[in-house]
Amino acid sequence: MSKLSTNRFPWLGLLALAMNGFIAIMTETLPAGLLPQIKEGLQVSEALAGQLVTLYAVGSLVAAIPVAVLTGGWRRRPLLLLSIIGFLIFNTITALSTNYGLTLVVRFFAGVSAGVSWGLIASYALRMVPDHLKGRGMAVAMIGTPIALSFGVPAGTLIGSFMGWRSAFWLMSLLAFVLIFWVLWKVPDFPGQAADKRNSAVKVLRTPGIIPILIVVFTWMLAHNILYTFIAPFLKDQGLESYVGLILLVFGVMALVGIWIIGVLIDRWLRPLVLISLTGFALLSLVLGIWSEHGTIVFISVALWGLTFGGAATLLQTALAQAAGEQGVDLVMPINTTVWNLAIAGGGVFGGVLLNQWGTRSFPWALLLLLLVALLVAWRAKTHGFRSSQL
């Protein structure tokens, strides 16, 4: 794997990768906050408007691994630029389109662009930094995700509400246009892998440590998304419906604090940080299950939940990169993207079943069960999975 010859920390290059992640998350989630406007603009029902999110997720899910296999030999920066150009083109068409069918098609291909991006960001960050700072580099490259989830989506919704939903997608196109030149300026190019050195997905999955880490990815993110997807009805049942926005803001701020802490400590303490994060989230689930009727406890618990979640992507992707090694990292990240998206989809489906059958009071106990599984797997995966040693 190529490495930069300098030991200087490439802040601007890593922040360009973070911007790519920000655009990917924003492009995915914008329709969720603009459904009434999109419904009127495309003259469809709100349920059909919601499929703009679904098609994007499907595109990201189905494209991540096949595209990674097909482009394994491509130079990295042209591929990264291609994914950003995809955001530029498909968000522009979305902003211009008045046809629902066309909009769904371009949303699918926008999701494909995201699948390419998610397969590149982590492995790119690892190549850009010296060995002793790889965890910190990953933390910086991933910071766009919690920013988009915490502040970007409400801001995009606000812009769409005042200026029309199409303006929000125009803004994403503008950011992608700027990012193209940013990448050309500050992100170095790296070669792809030679044909005789590329791994198959099956071989990567058979690498010691990979399956346990992916199990933790799925169970941790499934637990997170059950509660995060249905946080509004959960808070409503606790009499906190008027504080949903404030609580999510606090969650986002604490997530940023979490990713900063992880970025500082990950290169020396990856395994303990994973175990502490999972244990903390499990304990908070137990607290919510027992004392959810107390508003103050719920508020504090959600804030601490944000703290445990903030560095999750950095921890898990760094562990995967460490286990996969240099030859497997370019393929293990798209596999991770696929598992991550399955957990997001599963959170919506499983959470919906829990909500309909047993109500929001069942959420903390489902979370606790999933997190105990994740904690057990992570604890046992000390040799090849979540290792204490540096990358």
Side-chain angles (χ1 to χ4, degrees):
M1 183 184 295
S2 300
K3 293 180 177 68
L4 295 180
S5 58
T6 177
N7 280 331
R8 290 180 299 174
F9 196 71
W11 283 102
L12 289 177
L14 292 169
L15 288 173
L17 298 177
M19 175 64 83
N20 193 9
F22 177 85
I23 292 172
I25 293 292
M26 286 287 291
T27 300
E28 178 174 19
T29 55
L30 269 177
L34 299 169
L35 288 184
Q37 297 96 313
I38 293 174
K39 167 188 170 183
E40 295 179 5
L42 297 179
Q43 297 183 334
V44 295
S45 68
E46 201 161 287
L48 288 177
Q51 300 314 302
L52 270 66
V53 177
T54 304
L55 265 291
Y56 185 100
V58 170
S60 180
L61 184 66
V62 303
I65 297 175
V67 170
V69 172
L70 291 172
T71 61
W74 292 25
R75 295 195 67 85
R76 300 292 91 182
R77 189 165 69 175
L79 184 59
L80 179 64
L81 288 169
L82 189 61
S83 72
I84 299 168
I85 291 170
F87 286 126
L88 171 61
I89 293 173
F90 300 127
N91 278 325
T92 298
I93 296 175
T94 301
L96 292 170
S97 174
T98 58
N99 182 277
Y100 177 69
L102 173 62
T103 304
L104 286 183
V105 170
V106 296
R107 286 291 294 175
F108 174 85
F109 284 107
V112 171
S113 295
V116 175
S117 292
W118 292 125
L120 284 171
I121 291 174
S123 59
Y124 223 125
L126 293 173
R127 293 186 183 198
M128 288 173 63
V129 297
D131 288 344
H132 65 287
L133 293 174
K134 287 187 181 295
R136 185 175 301 179
M138 186 81 77
V140 175
M142 295 305 300
I143 200 169
T145 299
I147 290 176
L149 290 172
S150 306
F151 308 110
V153 174
T157 303
L158 187 65
I159 292 170
S161 299
F162 281 99
M163 300 175 61
W165 67 272
R166 298 181 189 277
S167 65
F169 287 96
W170 277 118
L171 178 60
M172 291 301 100
S173 294
L174 177 61
L175 290 178
F177 181 76
V178 171
L179 183 58
I180 290 171
F181 295 97
W182 189 351
V183 168
L184 288 170
W185 177 43
K186 280 295 178 181
V187 177
D189 192 13
F190 295 105
Q193 287 187 327
D196 60 342
K197 293 184 177 180
R198 291 180 217 159
N199 287 332
S200 67
V202 173
K203 186 175 181 181
V204 170
L205 288 172
R206 288 177 177 173
T207 303
I210 296 297
I211 292 295
I213 297 171
L214 291 175
I215 291 173
V216 174
V217 170
F218 183 77
T219 50
W220 190 350
M221 291 308 108
L222 180 59
H224 167 77
N225 281 287
I226 288 171
L227 187 56
Y228 193 81
T229 302
F230 296 98
I231 189 66
F234 178 80
L235 293 175
K236 181 180 179 180
D237 286 350
Q238 319 313 323
L240 298 171
E241 62 269 25
S242 60
Y243 296 97
V244 172
L246 175 61
I247 289 175
L248 287 178
L249 177 63
V250 171
F251 174 91
V253 171
M254 294 300 288
L256 291 178
V257 173
I259 202 171
W260 177 79
I261 293 172
I262 296 302
V264 171
L265 300 177
I266 188 173
D267 290 301
R268 289 175 295 169
W269 304 100
L270 188 150
R271 177 176 173 79
L273 289 169
V274 170
L275 297 176
I276 290 169
S277 297
L278 286 170
T279 301
F281 193 7
L283 290 174
L284 292 170
S285 300
L286 181 62
V287 168
L288 287 174
I290 298 174
W291 292 296
S292 61
E293 69 274 9
H294 299 286
T296 302
I297 291 178
V298 172
F299 195 99
I300 294 172
S301 296
V302 173
L304 294 176
W305 166 33
L307 186 67
T308 66
F309 176 75
T314 303
L315 290 168
L316 294 169
Q317 292 192 94
T318 303
L320 281 170
Q322 184 179 25
E326 295 185 357
Q327 291 190 351
V329 67
D330 284 342
L331 192 51
V332 79
M333 292 309 169
I335 293 173
N336 175 64
T337 299
T338 301
V339 174
W340 198 287
N341 277 282
L342 285 172
I344 293 173
V349 173
F350 189 40
V353 171
L354 290 173
L355 181 64
N356 291 330
Q357 294 295 322
W358 297 285
T360 60
R361 290 294 180 93
S362 65
F363 287 177
W365 304 110
L367 267 58
L368 180 60
L369 178 61
L370 288 166
L371 292 165
L372 288 176
V373 171
L375 187 58
L376 176 62
V377 173
W379 178 264
R380 291 175 60 87
K382 60 183 178 181
T383 303
H384 300 290
F386 297 99
R387 295 179 287 185
S388 299
S389 58
Q390 292 185 9
L391 203 64

